[in-house]
Amino acid sequence: MFTIAFKGIRQYFKDRTAVLLSLLLPIVLITLFALMYGGIGKKEKSRPISLLFTDQDNTELSKEVFKTLNDQDGMQLFSKSYGEASDLIKKGKNTAVLVLYKGFQDSVEAGNKAPMELFYDEAKEIEMGLLQQALWSNLFGITMKKGIKGKVNTWIKEKNPDLSDAELLDIQAQVEEQFTDFDNSDDSKEMEKKSNLPMTAIVSEEKNGNLGLVQAIAGTAIMMLLFSVSGSGASLLKEKEDGTFRRLLVSPISPSSILYGKMLSTLFMAVLQLTVMFLYSWLALGLDIFINLPALLLMILSAAIACTSFGIFMATICKSRKQVESLSTLIILVISALGGSMMPLVFMPEIMHKLAVVSVNYWAIEGFFDIFWRQLPLSEIYPKMLVLMGIGIVLTSISVISFKRNLLKLV
Amino acid sequence: MLVAKNLSKSFKEVNALNNISLAVQEGELYGLLGPNGAGKTTTISILSSLLKPDSGEILYQGKSLYQNLTESKKMIGVVPQEIALYEDLTALENLKFWGTLYGIKGKELQSKTEELLDFMGLSDRKNHKIKTYSGGMKRRINIAAALLHDPKIVFMDEPTVGIDPQSRNLIFEVIQELHSRGLTMIYTTHYMEEAERLCDRIGIIDEGKIIAEGRLEELKKSSKINEEIRVRFTNVQKTDLSNINNHFNGQLLIHENQMVLSTSQANTDLPILIQMCTNANLHLENLQVKSLSLESIFLELTGKSLRD
């Protein structure tokens, strides 16, 4: 028994790369998850919430609203026309737009309901929660105070038409004094409750289907596909171990044909896997896969190309199947976490959003979101397909070079 | 058929082949005999285009192997040392796959695979997965896969490794049948009985060099020794035999409970050997005086056993 155990330990230490990877994997994952959950870099300020701002009133008060909100810690405003803002939200680039309609100042000063509205993307649930909190405490502070003061002053003027300007200013100053502690008063809180900011979802579950379903399908499909193709790519190394690779090399086909043949079969399996996953989602989970079928088919192909090239890349840079298994697991877990397969990117800090672009998962998930959630036309989605295909071309090129260079080792 | 001139190959600092030359005639079965690590597989790998030599030249029917590699490859069949088959596929599927790589299609492929399965005596198991086959059956399919495209020359790299004597005999019969049909073969082995039984000519290879070459009779004639005394004991294992070995200048080969003395003077050496064994308290079970074997020639040439 001990002899067998010692032999196993000796074999384990013979493959130094596998040893290194088996130790590196948990370290990298711990670091990654610590980053995701904010355990690292606590001194760094959290990512400001970005809000688009459409000012159709263009008055002193509407500008004050912009300034007040923009001056808040953790909030950043960008002025855009409603058309631009709506487009950015639909494309998933921004969360919400606050629109102040024409007559905003007049209505507020008259003590009437402020004509304003918040348009948003329902997918950005977390960001919307934070945004609502920030808006509530700041926006109503300005509008309500201004509204009540306006209403009181109008009432005084109406009731006392004989008052001189000096007397009127004096009364207004006294009214102002009464509002000093208004922000923290019970009256303020009571009024805040009664206030209303109409909110309209530009991209929503009602219009665009089940958000969670899209996230689950897209995220899981790509991660599982990566695991499948890395196993498929590793079959190249199994050929080496079984001796069939030598037999293939003495046959009258070129070494590159062996690699491309392996890629093709892997690509076929990848396309099949994704297709079956989406068909299942349609039949069993109710995902409308016919919403933009050409885009879906092209996105499946692009994602399959990128994932296949990853699998082949792993097989050509590793020396044994053991190495492929360890290294692939490490990389797939990292890029899946980065790219939003494990958790939607909106939950993650800004740095993760920047890092996400290196992940195949990110581009594929975003592509599927464009199709099913944002329901964008093909002309808006194709750049993500090009990125995926670009990843495929780069990884394949490296694989071909690496394969030719390491051919002797494979023999 | 095949002429290889001055082939050398190194792997980093290991000199695997050192200026090897050999020529194989059409229809000849050439044996490459040597211990593990002697350079047999490297030689076959180079001759079958799997590896490129650092120097030297390889000619098939007078043309360089690399002049038209694709066409040259179609002339060559390789039976690797490993069972180079897909375990999850059936024998028929495997043969069809390998045949397709050589451009054989349709009815020709069907009849060729059927013919070979019949030849190997495995027609009734053709639809069974390779993983369900015995070691000997796998070896036969391994050979069949190298014959599908009717090669002009076949390299067999230790095709009987790890199988039982009965299966080995079946493979010998297959090889002898192929030889009788006029197929040119190069056969590597470290079993001298195989080389003696099958090969027309034998090249003895050690440390990357061919140290002797010729027909078995020629090799025997060139040897200084001509006989061997084989003695089997019941209790040899725990006995110190260094005195006996020293007396016969290292020409004693001991394997388990058997001792083989290669000699040119059996009449003189036999009584001395028996006397020394009696003195060493060895209990004799069987004694034979035979004409010289390849193993003894190898021992004479290299000073080591083929099993080393």
Side-chain angles (χ1 to χ4, degrees), chain A residues 238-239 241-255 408 411, chain B residues 41 45 48 50-51 70 73 78 80 83-86 98 101-102 142 145-146:
Chain A
K238 189 177 184 305
E239 300 256 14
E241 287 161 18
D242 292 350
T244 46
F245 192 74
R246 290 168 67 95
R247 186 163 241 167
L248 286 171
L249 283 175
V250 295
S251 71
I253 55 166
S254 70
L408 194 64
V411 173
Chain B
T41 301
S45 297
S48 62
L50 195 60
L51 291 175
T70 309
K73 280 179 168 183
V78 179
I83 306 291
L85 301 168
Y86 297 101
W98 294 111
L101 289 184
Y102 286 85
N142 208 31

Side-chain angles (χ1 to χ4, degrees), chain B residues 77-127:
Chain B
V78 179
V79 180
Q81 208 175 108
E82 313 86 6
I83 306 291
L85 301 168
Y86 297 101
E87 294 265 313
D88 291 332
L89 300 183
T90 65
L92 191 63
E93 287 167 340
N94 263 285
L95 292 182
K96 282 188 171 176
F97 169 75
W98 294 111
T100 310
L101 289 184
Y102 286 85
I104 311 167
K105 292 173 193 165
K107 283 183 182 171
E108 190 193 354
L109 183 63
Q110 186 68 32
S111 67
K112 200 75 210 166
T113 49
E114 297 286 352
E115 182 194 319
L116 277 167
L117 283 163
D118 191 43
F119 177 55
M120 295 295 169
L122 291 167
S123 288
D124 54 333
R125 296 288 306 267
K126 67 180 179 185
N127 290 319

Side-chain angles (χ1 to χ4, degrees), chain B residues 83 134-140 143 158-172 191 194:
Chain B
I83 306 291
S134 69
M137 289 156 83
K138 285 179 184 176
R139 286 273 165 206
R140 276 183 276 162
I143 294 172
E158 307 203 26
T160 58
V161 167
I163 54 171
D164 59 89
Q166 197 188 345
S167 300
R168 183 176 292 186
N169 278 331
L170 275 171
I171 288 175
F172 287 163
Y191 295 119
E194 289 187 5

Side-chain angles (χ1 to χ4, degrees), chain A residues 35-80:
Chain A
L35 255 175
M36 283 165 58
Y37 296 123
I40 291 178
K42 274 189 173 165
K43 285 174 191 168
E44 188 191 335
K45 275 191 174 179
S46 58
R47 186 166 65 106
I49 305 162
S50 104
L51 175 67
L52 301 176
F53 187 84
T54 303
D55 185 358
Q56 294 179 352
D57 194 40
N58 208 18
T59 56
E60 205 176 299
L61 184 60
S62 66
K63 284 173 186 158
E64 191 187 334
V65 170
F66 180 89
K67 190 178 179 309
T68 310
L69 293 176
N70 200 35
D71 287 348
Q72 294 303 310
D73 273 349
M75 190 178 267
Q76 200 171 6
L77 266 69
F78 300 93
S79 272
K80 298 277 174 199

Side-chain angles (χ1 to χ4, degrees), chain B residues 148-299:
Chain B
L148 279 155
H149 58 290
D150 288 326
K152 298 274 184 287
I153 183 166
V154 173
F155 296 95
M156 296 200 178
D157 193 4
E158 307 203 26
T160 58
V161 167
I163 54 171
D164 59 89
Q166 197 188 345
S167 300
R168 183 176 292 186
N169 278 331
L170 275 171
I171 288 175
F172 287 163
E173 283 169 22
V174 165
I175 292 166
Q176 280 166 332
E177 174 60 27
L178 290 170
H179 186 33
S180 70
R181 291 182 188 181
L183 183 64
T184 312
M185 284 181 276
I186 294 187
Y187 186 99
T188 75
T189 181
H190 63 268
Y191 295 119
M192 41 122 196
E193 315 89 65
E194 289 187 5
E196 282 178 344
R197 178 173 170 178
L198 298 171
C199 302
D200 298 325
R201 273 195 313 137
I202 297 157
I204 297 177
I205 184 169
D206 188 44
E207 294 179 358
K209 287 180 192 168
I210 291 184
I211 50 176
E213 191 185 44
R215 295 185 173 276
L216 184 59
E217 297 72 34
E218 289 168 356
L219 289 169
K220 282 179 180 176
K221 268 184 197 169
S222 67
S223 175
K224 288 173 195 160
I225 51 179
N226 49 34
E227 279 174 315
E228 54 187 38
I229 303 166
R230 290 178 173 262
V231 194
R232 190 186 291 275
F233 300 97
T234 52
N235 61 338
V236 76
Q237 279 152 359
K238 290 180 183 171
T239 313
D240 181 9
L241 300 170
S242 53
N243 278 344
I244 307 175
N245 202 13
N246 289 341
H247 179 84
F248 293 108
N249 299 320
Q251 285 303 308
L252 199 62
L253 212 154
I254 300 147
H255 184 63
E256 294 178 350
N257 62 339
Q258 186 171 287
M259 187 187 282
V260 180
L261 175 65
S262 307
T263 175
S264 56
Q265 41 185 13
N267 290 343
T268 321
D269 286 343
L270 182 60
I272 298 168
L273 179 67
I274 293 171
Q275 184 60 56
M276 290 186 88
C277 290
T278 310
N279 292 346
N281 224 9
L282 291 167
H283 305 302
L284 194 138
E285 188 183 285
N286 180 290
L287 190 144
Q288 284 179 305
V289 179
K290 292 177 76 178
S291 61
L292 191 64
S293 75
L294 263 178
E295 189 164 19
S296 300
I297 296 170
F298 189 83
L299 181 72

Side-chain angles (χ1 to χ4, degrees), chain A residues 321-332:
Chain A
R321 274 197 293 166
K322 211 189 240 178
Q323 275 188 24
V324 172
E325 282 160 16
S326 310
L327 195 60
S328 295
T329 307
L330 170 71
I331 294 176
I332 293 169

